């Protein structure tokens, strides 16, 4: 971990990282689990749903029309659809567009099967505790930073504005939600913070991220008028904002920055449609066992 911080400073000139030993780490995080830490005092964390709703309001104010509950059945570039524009077909009707941007995460399915084979849906899950009170919440993470560890299947957590602990982790590579999700996640939380054994869990939920084989984003074009953005691999909150800007630039005719990402090469997950999920589950089990050891 400290070697990574030194690499970031040396190779990229990122000077905002502070390396801590075990004692310094425990002065910030009230857990005996960690032997070291790196603090990024230039980073931050926010409420992702509120951020997304804010983007939606900004889009509406700019004149965008949102059509929710309208799953796309097919997309045909202008060269195939005729009429000089791409054709987007839904169950309720169709739309003609000069440009189409596919940003469907793991939901592209039959709309773009060639693309969907290059990503895997990985479930990640979160619990929220009852409100702890300001003093007890601050005792867990004294500077209220967000935290993640270095396991392959990592834990991640932060404090909310109303002094709850949000605790995430326990991924699923089989697309099946773990049984008794709240209890399963609570055990993970208590492994870090056993002092929370008396605290109730009030919420538990999850969703899917789209990962690529190399964990790098997969941006590109199906046709000159059909672009796609996928493979955010757990970096979505920051990366999608940048991706949207690059796609907008490309549509407007300034594609230099977008094209840098299109040069990244991505392969389909091995095993085909039938075996790729079981193969991934077995492979990830190996890494999970390494985490436990």
């Amino acid at each position: 971990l400290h070697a990574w911080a030194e690499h970031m400073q040396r190779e990229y000139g990122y000077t905002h990282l502070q390396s801590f030993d075990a004692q310094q780490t425990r002065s910030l995080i009230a857990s005996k689990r960690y032997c070291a830490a790196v603090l990024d005092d230039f980073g931050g964390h926010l409420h992702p749903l509120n951020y997304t709703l804010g983007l939606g309001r900004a889009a509406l104010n700019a004149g965008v029309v949102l059509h929710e509950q309208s799953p796309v059945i097919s997309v045909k570039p202008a060269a195939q659809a005729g009429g000089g524009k791409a054709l987007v077909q839904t169950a309720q009707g169709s739309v003609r567009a000069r440009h189409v941007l596919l940003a469907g995460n793991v939901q592209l399915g039959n709309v773009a099967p060639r693309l969907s084979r290059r990503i895997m849906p990985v479930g990640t899950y979160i619990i929220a505790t009852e409100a702890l009170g300001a003093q007890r919440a601050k005792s867990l993470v004294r500077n209220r930073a967000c935290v993640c560890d270095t396991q392959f299947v990592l834990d991640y957590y932060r404090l909310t504005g109303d002094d709850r602990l949000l605790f995430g982790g326990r991924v699923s590579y089989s697309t099946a939600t773990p049984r008794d999700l709240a209890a399963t996640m609570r055990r993970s939380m208590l492994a870090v913070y056993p002092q929370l054994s008396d605290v109730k869990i009030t919420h538990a939920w999850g969703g899917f991220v789209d990962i690529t084989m190399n964990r790098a984003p997969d941006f590109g074009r199906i046709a000159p008028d059909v672009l796609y953005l996928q493979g955010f691999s757990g970096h979505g909150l920051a990366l999608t904002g940048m991706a949207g800007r690059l796609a907008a630039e490309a549509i407007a005719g300034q594609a230099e920055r977008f094209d840098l990402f299109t040069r990244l090469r991505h392969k389909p997950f091995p095993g085909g449609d039938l075996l790729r999920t079981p193969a991934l589950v077995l492979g990830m089990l190996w890494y999970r066992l390494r985490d436990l050891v």
Side-chain angles (χ1 to χ4, degrees), residues 46 55 61 68 80-81 93 97 104 176 189 195 211 223 239 256 262:
L46 52 82
L55 291 177
N61 292 337
E68 298 180 277
Q80 299 177 14
M189 179 188 74
Q195 64 267 45
I211 65 167
L239 186 56
E256 291 87 355
T262 67

Side-chain angles (χ1 to χ4, degrees), residues 27-61:
S27 71
L28 286 177
I29 302 172
S31 175
K32 297 180 179 179
R33 191 169 197 188
Y34 307 118
C35 62
V38 168
L39 173 65
D40 181 357
D41 60 12
F42 196 62
H45 51 105
L46 52 82
H47 190 309
L49 178 58
N50 285 347
Y51 171 69
T52 304
L53 293 173
L55 291 177
R57 284 192 296 270
L60 290 172
N61 292 337

Side-chain angles (χ1 to χ4, degrees), residues 108-172:
L108 288 178
N110 293 329
V111 175
R114 180 174 63 86
L115 296 181
S116 64
R117 295 186 186 108
R118 299 213 296 259
I119 60 171
M120 285 292 293
V122 175
T124 185
Y125 305 96
I126 303 177
I127 54 174
T129 69
E130 62 184 332
L132 302 173
Q135 185 173 357
R136 191 174 187 185
K138 188 175 181 180
S139 72
L140 300 177
V141 185
R142 291 180 178 87
N143 62 353
R144 298 186 73 94
C146 53
V147 183
C148 67
D149 64 25
T150 57
Q151 296 183 103
F152 190 84
V153 181
L154 75 163
D155 294 330
Y156 53 93
Y157 52 91
R158 72 181 185 96
L159 298 169
T160 66
D162 59 351
D163 295 316
R164 302 170 187 266
L165 180 68
L166 290 180
F167 192 94
R170 184 57 197 275
V171 301
S172 168

